[in-house]
Amino acid sequence: MTGGAGRIARQVRDRMADDCVELRLVDRTPFDAVHASETAHVADLTDAAAIASLARGVDAIIHLAGYPREADWDTLIPANVQSVVNVWEAARGAGVKRILYASSNHAVGFYPRSQRIDAAVPTKPDSRYGVTKVFMEAVASLYAEKHGVRGFGMRIGFCSTQPTEARMLSHWVHPDDVAALVAVGLTAEYENEIVYGVSANSRSWWDNSRAQALGYRPAHSADIFIEALQAAVSGDPIAERFQGGSFAAEGYVSRG
Ligand SMILES: NC(=O)c1ccc[n+]([C@@H]2O[C@H](COP(=O)([O-])OP(=O)(O)OC[C@H]3O[C@@H](n4cnc5c(N)ncnc54)[C@H](O)[C@@H]3O)[C@@H](O)[C@H]2O)c1
């Protein structure tokens, strides 16, 4: 698991460590604590040789490392582009059979909230960050088609234990459900898939039937928070129009 010291990784690890024979963690940030089934390695994913060595003998990679929000290209390219190249090359070289990876709703953030989309729609990134996630989905597709490295792209909404604003009534995902989706990605039969990392929210913008077909059964729903949160909107009409919210609105040039 890359990015093993990060926010989502820590929550997923707590939920899956007991089911793993060995979970090899890598992050550039030192680890606080590890479970009995885990080994921790501090390395930077921009170091291709280090990642190639860590990938040896691994069945599956869960790639969660990355810069998780909008930034300038100089920040995003090493974390979300060069690292991706190194992870998929390491997997190919070591014969790793599958890579599950944290894509993002921001790969499709310029779809309007009025439109329900599935995982097959063309991408519409809402930010430089979103473009790096589209890049990762493209790399996964190439390595699945050409090299037989299975790809499982999870377009994660917003992961937290509780939604805190109206937008999350649509795109929130509980960590239990991220862990459930990871379990599907580790065991299901597929070649190259994109699924949405979202709980069972009735206001979701996403048709997640591919995830369902592969066995994903989210246990949580934001619906119990509708009354409390439906008025908690941003106040920005551009952010409210697009699924990507403030990522779409930042720097947006209004037309006409
Ligand atoms: N948090 C969310 O709700 C959300 C939503 C959509 C997608 N995602 C994606 O999920 C992943 C995890 O997000 P998070 O919120 O846990 O972020 P996070 O910043 O808490 O964790 C990311 C981890 O990656 C590590 N990392 C970054 N660059 C690295 C490098 N070059 N080498 C080694 N380690 C590196 C960081 O040290 C960090 O521990 C990210 O890829 C993010 O883009 C998160």
Side-chain angles (χ1 to χ4, degrees):
M1 179 185 286
T2 72
R7 205 170 60 88
I8 292 184
R10 288 198 306 271
Q11 301 184 81
V12 171
R13 283 168 51 205
D14 285 346
R15 290 163 173 81
M16 70 180 282
D18 290 348
D19 299 329
C20 289
V21 177
E22 184 199 338
L23 187 56
R24 195 176 294 174
L25 308 170
V26 57
D27 202 298
R28 65 180 174 193
T29 304
F31 294 83
D32 289 339
V34 295
H35 298 277
S37 58
E38 296 174 337
T39 56
H41 305 263
V42 176
D44 199 300
L45 295 189
T46 56
D47 180 347
I51 301 316
S53 145
L54 282 168
R56 280 188 211 116
V58 165
D59 297 316
I61 294 175
I62 305 165
H63 176 54
L64 302 178
Y67 194 83
R69 64 190 75 87
E70 182 61 322
D72 55 30
W73 289 117
D74 287 347
T75 303
L76 288 166
I77 286 173
N80 293 9
V81 174
Q82 188 60 55
S83 295
V84 163
V85 171
N86 291 348
V87 166
W88 265 262
E89 263 301 294
R92 185 186 65 78
V96 176
K97 294 191 176 58
R98 56 179 87 199
I99 304 183
L100 289 56
Y101 59 98
S103 185
S104 167
N105 66 94
H106 296 291
V108 287
F110 258 129
Y111 280 96
R113 296 186 186 188
S114 55
Q115 186 176 349
R116 189 169 165 81
I117 58 172
D118 64 17
V121 294
T123 54
K124 270 184 188 279
D126 58 21
S127 50
R128 291 177 291 275
Y129 167 73
V131 170
T132 68
K133 296 300 185 181
V134 172
F135 174 80
M136 180 160 57
E137 292 182 1
V139 170
S141 173
L142 173 67
Y143 280 66
E145 298 285 347
K146 186 166 277 191
H147 302 300
V149 180
R150 296 175 189 219
F152 190 75
M154 301 174 284
R155 285 185 186 155
I156 297 171
F158 187 86
C159 177
S160 62
T161 50
Q162 197 173 308
T164 51
E165 58 178 65
R167 180 166 172 258
M168 293 183 200
L169 297 171
S170 301
H171 80 324
W172 172 73
V173 60
H174 191 283
D176 287 347
D177 292 336
V178 176
L181 194 57
V182 166
V184 169
L186 287 172
T187 52
E189 277 300 318
Y190 57 83
E191 298 303 325
N192 183 44
E193 289 285 347
I194 301 289
V195 295
Y196 289 96
V198 66
S199 288
N201 314 327
S202 63
R203 294 192 175 192
S204 170
W205 306 301
W206 306 321
D207 169 354
N208 212 11
S209 45
R210 277 307 300 154
Q212 280 262 321
L214 292 169
Y216 177 53
R217 299 286 179 272
H220 297 266
S221 168
D223 290 7
I224 54 170
F225 301 98
I226 288 177
E227 213 176 296
L229 293 178
Q230 60 189 352
V233 295
S234 68
D236 178 332
I238 304 301
E240 292 303 314
R241 191 197 312 169
F242 296 110
Q243 296 184 6
S246 62
F247 282 56
E250 189 192 338
Y252 184 87
V253 177
S254 293
R255 285 127 247 206

